[in-house]
Amino acid sequence: MSLWRGFCRLSHSLLLVILLLPLQGNAHPQCLDYKPPFQPPEPLVFCKEYAKFGCCDLDKDNQISQRFYQIMDYFDHTGFMACGKYIRSILCQECSPYAAHLYDAEDANTPMRELPGLCGNYCNDYWLHCRYTLSLLTNNNQSYAIEEDRNKFCKYLELKDPEYCYPNVLMSAELNTNLGDVQADPQGCIQMCLEEVANGLRNPVAMVHANDGTHRFFVAEQLGYVWTYLANGSRIDRPFLNLTKAVLTSPWAGDERGFLCIALHPRFTEVKTAYVYYSVSVKKQEKIRISEFTLSESDVNILDHSSERTLLEVDEPASNHNGGQLQFGLDGYLYIFIGDGGRAGDPFGKFGNSQNKSTLLGKVLRIDVDNNDSGAPYSIPPDNPFVGEKDTKPEIYAYGVRNMWRCSIDRGDSITGQGRGRMLCGDVGQNKYEEVDLIEKGGNYGWRAKEGFSCYDRKLCFNSSLNDILPIFAYPHKIGKSVTGGYIYRGCQMPNLNGLYIFGDFMSGRLMSLRENPDTGKWNYKEICMGNDKTCNFPKLINSYYKYIISFGEDEAGELYFLATGAASATAKAGVVYKIVDPSRRAPPGKCSYKPIPVSVKGKLVHFNPKEEFVINKKPSTTAIPKPKPTKPSTTPIPRPRVPQMTTPRLRTTTTVRPTSRYPPSTLWPRPRLVTTPRPTYWTPAPKSTAKTRGRGKSRRKGDRRGRSRAGMVRLVSADGRKDRGRVEIFFHGEWGTVCDDMFNMKAADVVCRQLGFLAAVQVSKRAELGAGGVRVSILLDDVECEGTEKTLLQCKHAKIGKHNCSHDEDVGVICGFDEHAVE
């Protein structure tokens, strides 16, 4: 037994040396339960080489140990010493971080190996010394027949992959370096994966949880709906809140008005109130409204719509820069983040709204919604920084902000509490920079004097009295043009991410991260990208997402999510909620389990059906909508890549140990099946033109050798040059002309959009909303009526070409997109 203990110590030391080698590789660890490996909460006793990182906890380690000694009971001392090392090593591969590779279990649709795959040399040695032990390890009666035939024996056991077979997989420094750490691609981009949580949403702008033990969460849409999602993923068919009749918004892509945020009282189970932030129009004046609602007495999943109490209304000079964040701090006060009033450069007054403390625009407000016995909708916290200051609004907590979009409160490290209560915000920039700020009491965040770290208004910037707070991070517009603030991860399931601030950019679609250096206080930046090839190839995980990142959220357990859409319109059902997953390491099984408190549901449950899929063997883009295959995905498993066979070494003559009896067959674990689902239609980008460019940019089309426009061709003309929207113009008899909006509907718009390569139309715009033709542009079509299946507008029913009873004030426009059901 002393020799046996020495072998165990040697194996353990070998793996520790490998793990410390300073190289980086393309590791893809995966366990037999189709999940990433973990660090066991207690050291393993038997399979010690996997005590730092692997797929076994102490219970599984004990099970393997018991099976080993049951098998070894069939051997005398000589057999134990000769074959014990082989039996132990083979059994312990269930604990290997590469167990899925060794057992050929990466694809849940293919049969799993009964034993781990061995390398050729190792299999030959095993056959020479202990070939008759195979039947003790297997559940296959055929093993008797192959024990005497070395070729059949090793054909059964060998894994034809010199990199991932055992024991080579332990000796590869490239595979084992930094095992269990967050993986990065060669450019240093952190590789993450996603899980689809909800879909079919219309510009999902906010996600909050009830913090009441039910683990349900609520998702708000820009139109004014708020939906309840239960812990099992299903949605209640009746909205938690419906303010669609009151909310001011439009279907235009990029419209910043609408229902913007919801916050539940931190003691929601007792106080039962919710607070909302939305745009309204009062006597043709656009306003921001902050309201309070109470929970229905008859249904815990619906707010009492008759209970609305307006806390605050602020006039909006323009339709943009509406701010839109509500959240409760750890002090119990409600924080409100309001934009600077809109337009470019905060042009209001001598210094702008943001530097003017006599207005609420461009500010962070703090109010008390609990202690208001005087009958007022709220009271002012006595320690607000500007209470009593002349010509200053007492609600102001911080100022000098431009348009903060999405803020969060740090829960703090679960052990040390470090960072608890910090407030982080993304502040959308003007011309050059986007920034992330830590909000401090009484802080001046510099706008409009500064944008990021640079001067915007030089006169204000060089004012010595301007004692502004610099951002913790700012990035230029070559990276993104509209920051979406995120959260510091404090969940349980992904230990690697603890303390990582994850945020994004609405326009570029980038996911980004910051991590604070505790010694210097500086925040280090790393981009986040989606894992390619095998990295995210776990059940339920995907590695692509829609470009427009609208918001972030966290659930009751602290796991992190973001909300994005493929069509940035309040009427397009292209919104998805994604959960962020680290594929490198998970928490030990059972550590993060919780039992949600049951929720009484009145109404029906809409069960969740995921639609996204893993993009296989291609690098997914984090900044654009990925292309789908034109046909439905095949259910045929993807074959493993072929690798060269190992050369079989010359055999040595040796003595083979035969056990005295047979061990009962082992029991295999049941394996779940993967289900592939087709990608939604709005993933399809406009197809690239197949025309070849000739000469000075003129294109040559099939059937038109001179590259001239053909009768019935259409184009969209817009002032900003956008290709997905604009005034409809049609070509006929050598000229381009406009189309009158009389009788023109969505079916006609579909014909135009499909002709231009889009899937469908999102909206019809009448009365020249997208621009009118000039005096040199004729009106060629009027009274257009289409069935929707025509190839061009000329095939539709219409008045005679050139005959009309309208003016250019009635030129029709369309907005095209990729969602067939964009408009209800």
Side-chain angles (χ1 to χ4, degrees):
M1 288 301 290
S2 61
L3 291 174
W4 175 248
R5 294 191 189 98
F7 172 77
C8 292
R9 286 195 294 269
L10 179 63
S11 300
H12 182 45
S13 301
L14 175 64
L15 187 65
L16 289 178
V17 170
I18 290 171
L19 293 177
L20 294 174
L21 289 176
L23 296 173
Q24 184 173 357
N26 271 331
H28 175 57
Q30 184 177 347
C31 299
L32 293 180
D33 61 356
Y34 310 104
K35 295 179 181 179
F38 54 90
Q39 181 177 351
E42 300 172 281
L44 305 185
V45 176
F46 186 71
C47 301
K48 293 183 178 180
E49 60 267 46
Y50 303 112
K52 294 286 185 181
F53 186 68
C55 296
C56 291
D57 55 15
L58 191 58
D59 289 341
K60 184 62 180 176
D61 183 63
N62 289 334
Q63 293 174 20
I64 294 173
S65 175
Q66 291 173 12
R67 187 179 176 198
F68 169 79
Y69 287 110
Q70 286 173 345
I71 293 174
M72 299 317 296
D73 281 343
Y74 293 101
F75 293 84
D76 57 18
H77 178 74
T78 302
F80 190 103
M81 298 308 299
C83 298
K85 60 182 181 181
Y86 294 105
I87 302 297
R88 177 191 175 281
S89 295
I90 290 173
L91 290 175
C92 281
Q93 293 319 298
E94 287 189 28
C95 300
S96 168
Y98 295 102
H101 295 274
L102 295 171
Y103 286 84
D104 199 16
E106 301 97 331
D107 187 349
N109 293 310
T110 60
M112 189 190 301
R113 296 175 65 103
E114 199 166 358
L115 295 175
L118 307 180
C119 299
N121 290 340
Y122 187 85
C123 184
N124 288 325
D125 289 342
Y126 176 38
W127 182 82
L128 286 170
H129 292 92
C130 301
R131 71 183 73 128
Y132 300 116
T133 63
L134 179 63
S135 55
L136 299 178
L137 290 167
T138 65
N139 189 28
N140 190 340
N141 293 331
Q142 294 179 355
S143 61
Y144 296 108
I146 65 175
E147 286 178 340
E148 296 290 351
D149 189 320
R150 180 185 59 83
N151 291 330
K152 291 181 179 179
F153 184 91
C154 284
K155 184 178 181 181
Y156 177 72
L157 289 179
E158 192 175 346
L159 183 65
K160 302 293 185 179
D161 188 332
E163 186 177 25
Y164 284 111
C165 60
Y166 177 81
N168 288 3
V169 69
L170 288 181
M171 301 176 183
S172 170
E174 183 181 6
L175 286 176
N176 291 283
T177 300
N178 300 322
L179 195 60
D181 293 340
V182 174
Q183 296 298 311
D185 67 10
Q187 288 73 41
C189 186
I190 299 175
Q191 297 190 59
M192 293 291 170
C193 306
L194 304 174
E195 181 181 349
E196 181 188 1
V197 173
N199 54 35
L201 293 159
R202 291 159 294 193
N203 269 14
V205 293
M207 171 185 170
V208 296
H209 61 84
N211 198 30
D212 59 358
T214 64
H215 288 267
R216 56 185 169 154
F217 61 87
F218 307 91
V219 176
E221 295 179 320
Q222 187 178 359
L223 281 175
Y225 290 106
V226 181
W227 301 100
T228 305
Y229 289 83
L230 302 184
N232 63 7
S234 58
R235 189 186 83 180
I236 298 176
D237 65 339
R238 292 191 292 177
F240 183 64
L241 181 65
N242 178 2
L243 287 182
T244 54
K245 292 183 179 180
V247 168
L248 173 63
T249 189
S250 77
W252 301 106
D255 191 342
E256 298 179 19
R257 302 168 300 176
F259 188 98
L260 301 179
C261 201
I262 181 171
L264 304 185
H265 195 283
R267 292 180 287 114
F268 185 64
T269 52
E270 304 169 18
V271 181
K272 299 180 180 180
T273 56
Y275 300 84
V276 298
Y277 187 129
Y278 63 99
S279 304
V280 293
S281 178
V282 180
K283 297 180 180 179
K284 298 185 179 181
Q285 171 63 53
E286 292 187 12
K287 294 176 179 286
I288 290 168
R289 178 179 290 170
I290 315 297
S291 290
E292 176 189 82
F293 286 86
T294 58
L295 194 65
S296 169
E297 294 182 358
S298 60
D299 192 339
V300 296
N301 295 304
I302 289 182
L303 293 176
D304 182 354
H305 289 61
S306 65
S307 68
E308 182 174 13
R309 185 170 67 119
T310 300
L311 304 186
L312 183 68
E313 282 188 352
V314 181
D315 289 348
E316 272 286 354
S319 60
N320 59 342
H321 300 187
N322 299 289
Q325 180 71 41
L326 288 178
Q327 65 184 21
F328 281 90
L330 297 185
D331 53 14
Y333 296 134
L334 179 64
Y335 290 78
I336 305 169
F337 300 78
I338 299 180
D340 66 6
R343 301 181 189 167
D346 193 6
F348 306 98
K350 185 177 180 180
F351 304 112
N353 285 327
S354 293
Q355 293 296 322
N356 180 4
K357 288 184 283 187
S358 65
T359 177
L360 299 180
L361 295 169
K363 308 298 188 301
V364 179
L365 313 181
R366 183 172 73 156
I367 62 175
D368 187 346
V369 296
D370 292 328
N371 300 310
N372 51 353
D373 295 335
S374 61
Y378 62 86
S379 60
I380 304 297
D383 64 337
N384 267 14
F386 305 110
V387 170
E389 186 174 306
K390 185 179 179 181
D391 298 327
T392 297
K393 297 288 186 181
E395 293 92 343
I396 297 174
Y397 183 79
Y399 65 106
V401 305
R402 183 177 181 273
N403 189 32
M404 286 190 163
W405 181 249
R406 293 303 167 247
C407 304
S408 62
I409 303 291
D410 186 1
R411 295 188 180 202
D413 185 88
S414 59
I415 299 175
T416 67
Q418 183 178 0
R420 179 172 168 79
R422 292 184 298 184
M423 190 179 301
L424 292 93
C425 293
D427 198 1
V428 180
Q430 179 68 48
N431 296 328
K432 295 182 179 179
Y433 298 99
E434 306 295 307
E435 66 182 72
V436 178
D437 297 302
L438 267 172
I439 304 302
E440 298 179 13
K441 181 179 177 180
N444 179 1
Y445 288 85
W447 177 250
R448 75 183 183 203
K450 287 185 178 180
E451 179 188 11
F453 293 101
S454 69
C455 287
Y456 178 79
D457 184 321
R458 293 192 175 275
K459 290 183 179 180
L460 285 178
C461 188
F462 294 120
N463 186 339
S464 60
S465 65
L466 183 65
N467 185 23
D468 59 326
I469 297 175
L470 295 176
I472 62 171
F473 179 71
Y475 61 91
H477 279 188
K478 66 180 181 180
I479 294 178
K481 296 182 178 181
S482 183
V483 66
T484 301
Y487 283 79
I488 293 181
Y489 179 80
R490 298 298 186 185
C492 172
Q493 296 176 6
M494 295 171 286
N496 284 332
L497 303 189
N498 183 40
L500 193 70
Y501 178 70
I502 297 179
F503 64 108
D505 189 277
F506 175 80
M507 292 301 295
S508 70
R510 290 180 187 267
L511 284 171
M512 298 170 278
S513 73
L514 298 172
R515 188 182 288 277
E516 185 182 20
N517 183 326
D519 297 327
T520 64
K522 294 184 177 180
W523 295 74
N524 300 317
Y525 168 82
K526 280 193 177 181
E527 187 172 349
I528 294 174
C529 54
M530 295 294 98
N532 55 12
D533 194 28
K534 297 179 180 179
T535 306
C536 295
N537 201 4
F538 296 99
K540 295 184 179 181
L541 296 192
I542 56 176
N543 63 339
S544 56
Y545 59 88
Y546 295 145
K547 173 181 177 179
Y548 301 108
I549 301 173
I550 302 176
S551 189
F552 284 79
E554 62 178 359
D555 62 18
E556 190 169 343
E559 300 306 318
L560 190 55
Y561 304 75
F562 72 93
L563 294 67
T565 184
S569 166
T571 56
K573 293 183 178 180
V576 180
V577 179
Y578 301 97
K579 180 180 180 181
I580 297 175
V581 178
D582 174 22
S584 306
R585 178 184 167 201
R586 60 170 159 151
K591 180 180 180 182
C592 306
S593 61
Y594 56 84
K595 187 176 182 180
I597 296 174
V599 179
S600 176
V601 176
K602 296 182 179 180
K604 297 180 180 178
L605 290 180
V606 180
H607 296 289
F608 172 63
N609 293 310
K611 296 181 180 179
E612 321 306 336
E613 63 180 13
F614 176 69
V615 180
I616 301 174
N617 291 330
K618 68 172 70 172
K619 186 172 183 179
S621 170
T622 60
T623 59
I625 301 172
K627 296 180 181 179
K629 296 179 181 179
T631 57
K632 293 183 178 180
S634 171
T635 57
T636 305
I638 296 175
R640 287 170 55 85
R642 296 188 178 185
V643 294
Q645 293 188 1
M646 295 183 63
T647 305
T648 304
R650 201 169 180 178
L651 298 178
R652 302 189 307 272
T653 304
T654 185
T655 303
T656 300
V657 177
R658 183 188 297 271
T660 57
S661 63
R662 303 290 178 182
Y663 184 72
S666 60
T667 303
L668 289 176
W669 298 343
R671 304 171 62 242
R673 294 185 60 82
L674 283 176
V675 180
T676 56
T677 55
R679 192 175 290 137
T681 54
Y682 43 79
W683 278 62
T684 311
K688 295 180 179 179
S689 172
T690 57
K692 296 182 179 179
T693 302
R694 303 279 179 156
R696 298 182 179 177
K698 294 181 179 180
S699 62
R700 177 175 294 179
R701 308 176 192 275
K702 184 177 179 181
D704 185 10
R705 296 183 179 178
R706 292 174 294 176
R708 295 179 179 174
S709 301
R710 295 177 295 175
M713 288 180 60
V714 291
R715 67 186 183 188
L716 300 181
V717 180
S718 63
D720 55 4
R722 298 184 65 168
K723 296 181 179 180
D724 66 334
R725 67 195 59 199
R727 177 179 66 250
V728 177
E729 292 193 359
I730 188 167
F731 186 82
F732 190 77
H733 279 177
E735 69 170 322
W736 286 94
T738 64
V739 180
C740 188
D741 61 17
D742 293 340
M743 306 180 74
F744 196 97
N745 57 20
M746 284 294 292
K747 291 183 178 180
D750 282 341
V751 173
V752 171
C753 291
R754 284 200 299 270
Q755 194 174 349
L756 293 173
F758 294 89
L759 184 65
V762 175
Q763 180 182 334
V764 175
S765 301
K766 300 192 176 185
R767 297 183 182 179
E769 289 177 330
L770 294 181
V775 293
R776 296 183 181 180
V777 181
S778 302
I779 301 175
L780 295 183
L781 278 186
D782 191 10
D783 296 333
V784 177
E785 294 181 86
C786 299
E787 296 295 329
T789 58
E790 296 86 351
K791 292 183 178 180
T792 74
L793 295 180
L794 295 181
Q795 295 179 357
C796 301
K797 183 180 177 182
H798 56 78
K800 186 178 179 180
I801 300 293
K803 186 177 181 180
H804 61 87
N805 59 357
C806 53
S807 66
H808 280 303
D809 290 337
E810 299 168 273
D811 287 339
V812 74
V814 301
I815 300 175
C816 300
F818 306 111
D819 188 356
E820 288 181 312
H821 309 288
V823 177
E824 289 191 325

